[in-house]
Amino acid sequence: MYGNTELGVLYALGTAFSWATAGIIHTAIARRVGVQGVMLLRQPVAFAALGAACLICGIPLLTSPHFLLLAALSGISGILIGDACLYAGALRIGLRPAQVCLSLSSSFTAIIGAIFLGERIGIQGAVGIAVATVGVVLVVASERGDAHNPPARGPARTRGIALCLFSALMLATGMIFSKQALSEGMNELSLALYRNGVSMIGIILVAALRGAFRPVFSGMAKQPEVAGLVPLGCLFGPAGGIWLSCLAIKLLPASVAAMLIGLEPIALLIIMGVMERRMPRRDSILGAIVACTGAAILVTR
């Protein structure tokens, strides 16, 4: 384990709760203006917020071509492709099942990290990942009856699951590129800025080619509450959430950070329980205990 482990764990868990909150907000926006609308609206706001943070903290905005390439690859895979697939999948199968698919990114990260970064998981690490994944699956399987889980069946459900699993793979790929940039000395706030900047350019280009600007802003005009949700979603997602994830990846092995961030469905369960003012089901509580046990096994290996 490298870096300040305890602080890294806090950053990773903070990322899980931050991204769970952002998932609720962005799914609500996607139901109003579509997945492309979410991506198009949030990225410029997040980029501006991170740019301002860099200026306030005195972090140089210019970086080397090598770091820019790593940040670009991380942003394209983790944000441009990964987030788009996640929200598209969530609209088909619901937010909670989508999150459990996304939690499997830790397994992808472990495999990719072992191949490209030389990280070793070991038997204890593999057991920790397996136990935590079982806990997350148990939580989501027992929590089916909510507004974010429409009764999708057949091909629609299959496509939704495939999109979410592909999103998990892209998130893992983005984490590996971020880990490489951070291990070579790139500042975490600068990395978050460039990840968002590159993905913002890509999203704008795709939207321009598809003629999506008019439908998105027309949808905003019809549902003005979207304008208030976008900055809040950026705070927990592509701005603050990604910054926390960069801090976690810097202080922890990529596979460990991914596993702890992968507890996002547990965070979602807690947040939704508070919002819906109800206690989680018994199986959900058991699943949360199992997931936390798995995370503890992984972190203490």
Side-chain angles (χ1 to χ4, degrees):
M1 194 73 68
Y2 27 102
N4 188 323
T5 302
E6 293 78 11
L7 196 56
V9 169
L10 288 177
Y11 286 141
L13 293 176
T15 303
F17 276 89
S18 183
W19 284 1
T21 303
I24 295 171
I25 297 169
H26 288 146
T27 301
I29 298 173
R31 294 183 189 280
R32 292 166 170 81
V33 296
V35 174
Q36 193 163 252
V38 173
M39 306 294 289
L40 185 61
L41 293 171
R42 73 174 195 171
Q43 291 310 130
V45 176
F47 181 72
L50 288 167
C54 285
L55 290 174
I56 292 171
C57 296
I59 297 172
L61 296 180
L62 296 178
T63 189
S64 69
H66 176 65
F67 283 153
L68 179 59
L69 175 61
L70 291 175
L73 292 172
S74 178
I76 291 171
S77 56
I79 300 176
L80 182 61
I81 300 175
D83 280 3
C85 290
L86 172 63
Y87 296 125
L91 288 178
R92 288 172 169 83
I93 64 174
L95 186 56
R96 287 176 182 166
Q99 293 287 5
V100 76
C101 293
L102 194 65
S103 71
L104 299 179
S105 66
S106 58
S107 300
F108 295 136
T109 304
I111 295 170
I112 298 172
I115 295 173
F116 294 102
L117 298 181
E119 294 186 352
R120 293 183 60 83
I121 300 300
I123 296 176
Q124 183 176 341
V127 171
I129 289 174
V131 171
T133 300
V134 168
V136 171
V137 171
L138 183 58
V139 169
V140 178
S142 65
E143 291 286 326
R144 296 180 178 179
D146 64 84
H148 297 284
N149 191 2
R153 295 183 178 86
R157 182 171 178 80
T158 301
R159 284 193 296 270
I161 293 173
L163 284 167
C164 293
L165 290 176
F166 186 66
S167 173
L169 177 61
M170 290 295 98
L171 175 63
T173 304
M175 280 194 174
I176 294 300
F177 284 124
S178 292
K179 181 64 182 181
Q180 185 176 349
L182 292 167
S183 64
E184 293 179 10
M186 189 175 189
N187 179 274
E188 58 274 2
L189 194 55
S190 177
L191 172 61
L193 172 69
Y194 281 102
R195 286 190 74 205
N196 276 277
V198 171
S199 61
M200 178 187 69
I201 293 171
I203 290 164
I204 290 174
L205 289 176
V206 171
L209 290 173
R210 298 184 64 181
F213 287 99
R214 182 175 293 180
V216 169
F217 290 108
S218 175
M220 281 190 68
K222 295 177 182 177
Q223 304 190 63
E225 69 273 13
V226 170
L229 292 173
V230 171
L232 192 60
C234 286
L235 174 63
F236 290 103
I242 285 182
W243 177 53
L244 283 174
S245 71
C246 289
L247 289 170
I249 295 168
K250 184 177 182 178
L251 297 176
L252 298 170
S255 56
V256 176
M259 184 65 257
L260 293 173
I261 294 171
L263 295 177
E264 189 177 336
I266 307 297
L268 180 66
L269 174 67
I270 295 171
I271 294 169
M272 290 301 294
V274 173
M275 292 176 62
E276 296 172 359
R277 297 182 179 179
R278 64 180 179 88
M279 285 291 294
R281 296 177 58 181
R282 183 177 59 184
D283 289 347
S284 298
I285 296 173
L286 175 61
I289 294 172
V290 171
C292 292
T293 301
I297 293 171
L298 178 65
V299 172
T300 58
R301 79 187 196 281

